[in-house]
Amino acid sequence: PLRRQHPAGRSYMASPLCSVSASSERPKGKGIVEVQPRVTIHSVNEIDVKAQTFEMDLQVELQWKDLGWLERMEQPDWMAAAKELGWQEQMRKTCWHPGLVLRNCKEKRDDAEVWFRVDRKEEVHDAQDRRIYFIARVHAVFRTKYRLHKFPFDMQWLTVRMGSSFEFVRFVRQGVSNLAEKPDFLDRAAFILEEYRPPDYVCVE
């Protein structure tokens, strides 16, 4: 895949879901930046066996630590700009994020909704544990490879392959890490009556 040079330094993979602002800086310190993904699936539609695709409406949350940036946000000039532009717009213009890439996305149905969130001091026991959150709501068509050896009694995994546009970012799993502990069955009611939240089943390659 094509690699480009981000103005803040470091090469990155092409085609992130939301571009990283040229004025942003990666989290301070050398080495790998660990990012925890979390996914909420809102609906699954149009499973097309012939085209080897499926349509999904999902929300992806990426969280990471950057204490230097949290201190920067408390500076008077940053707060003044956020008051003038709006907090979300100021975050988009200045805050680094992992540059979410949906590797097997074929087509986006709608423009992705993207926003940021930051832990408030009163939400955590230790200020050192505060995190920054990049959240994207995506409605798209994804490519997959269906295994139809037992059709029509087969069960298929619908996989969304996520990654970062930066080489120095590593996705780390939350909770259970054993692939064998994935759920055996997803009741359709889970998509109708409530949001299905599989944070423990995010597979990081």
Side-chain angles (χ1 to χ4, degrees), residues 55-134:
E55 180 182 329
M56 182 177 286
D57 181 2
L58 71 159
Q59 182 171 303
V60 181
E61 174 189 283
L62 304 180
Q63 56 177 279
W64 67 96
K65 288 184 179 182
D66 186 357
L67 298 180
W69 174 254
L70 294 175
E71 293 176 358
R72 174 75 181 92
M73 288 177 58
E74 296 176 352
Q75 298 300 314
D77 60 330
W78 196 95
M79 296 177 67
K83 184 176 182 179
E84 180 179 353
L85 297 175
W87 189 87
Q88 287 290 343
E89 184 61 28
Q90 177 67 352
M91 288 292 285
R92 290 189 186 96
K93 290 184 63 175
T94 60
C95 183
W96 178 90
H97 61 81
L100 175 65
V101 176
L102 301 176
R103 302 192 187 282
N104 62 323
C105 178
K106 178 183 179 182
E107 173 190 358
K108 285 188 289 185
R109 291 297 195 203
D110 305 296
D111 291 336
E113 299 178 51
V114 173
W115 65 97
F116 289 84
R117 184 171 72 81
V118 175
D119 283 331
R120 297 191 299 270
K121 293 180 179 179
E122 59 269 22
E123 292 179 321
V124 295
H125 295 293
D126 188 339
Q128 300 294 310
D129 292 331
R130 294 176 68 196
R131 291 177 174 270
I132 301 171
Y133 301 80
F134 172 87

Side-chain angles (χ1 to χ4, degrees), residues 21-196:
S21 171
S23 61
S24 66
E25 297 183 3
R26 63 166 291 184
K28 293 182 179 180
K30 298 180 180 180
I32 298 297
V33 176
E34 292 191 344
V35 174
Q36 291 186 340
R38 189 181 186 91
V39 177
T40 301
I41 299 172
H42 294 279
S43 66
V44 178
N45 302 289
E46 296 186 20
I47 297 176
D48 191 326
V49 175
K50 184 176 180 180
Q52 301 279 283
T53 61
F54 64 92
E55 180 182 329
M56 182 177 286
D57 181 2
L58 71 159
Q59 182 171 303
V60 181
E61 174 189 283
L62 304 180
Q63 56 177 279
W64 67 96
K65 288 184 179 182
D66 186 357
L67 298 180
W69 174 254
L70 294 175
E71 293 176 358
R72 174 75 181 92
M73 288 177 58
E74 296 176 352
Q75 298 300 314
D77 60 330
W78 196 95
M79 296 177 67
K83 184 176 182 179
E84 180 179 353
L85 297 175
W87 189 87
Q88 287 290 343
E89 184 61 28
Q90 177 67 352
M91 288 292 285
R92 290 189 186 96
K93 290 184 63 175
T94 60
C95 183
W96 178 90
H97 61 81
L100 175 65
V101 176
L102 301 176
R103 302 192 187 282
N104 62 323
C105 178
K106 178 183 179 182
E107 173 190 358
K108 285 188 289 185
R109 291 297 195 203
D110 305 296
D111 291 336
E113 299 178 51
V114 173
W115 65 97
F116 289 84
R117 184 171 72 81
V118 175
D119 283 331
R120 297 191 299 270
K121 293 180 179 179
E122 59 269 22
E123 292 179 321
V124 295
H125 295 293
D126 188 339
Q128 300 294 310
D129 292 331
R130 294 176 68 196
R131 291 177 174 270
I132 301 171
Y133 301 80
F134 172 87
I135 306 165
R137 177 74 179 265
V138 184
H139 183 197
V141 176
F142 296 90
R143 297 183 180 90
T144 191
K145 186 172 180 60
Y146 293 110
R147 303 183 184 278
L148 306 175
H149 307 299
K150 298 180 181 179
F151 183 83
F153 305 105
D154 55 311
M155 182 180 70
Q156 305 293 335
W157 285 107
L158 304 181
T159 302
V160 176
R161 301 190 179 280
M162 297 181 291
S164 169
S165 57
F166 290 93
E167 295 177 318
F168 54 78
V169 168
R170 181 176 66 192
F171 280 23
V172 295
R173 292 169 54 115
Q174 303 180 75
V176 180
S177 59
N178 186 351
L179 296 183
E181 296 179 5
K182 285 183 177 180
D184 295 323
F185 179 76
L186 298 183
D187 190 334
R188 181 170 176 78
F191 298 112
I192 298 174
L193 302 178
E194 60 182 347
E195 297 176 352
Y196 175 64

Side-chain angles (χ1 to χ4, degrees), residues 4-22:
R4 301 173 181 169
Q5 190 70 24
H6 186 264
R10 309 286 181 175
S11 61
Y12 67 99
M13 306 288 288
S15 303
L17 185 67
C18 176
S19 59
V20 182
S21 171

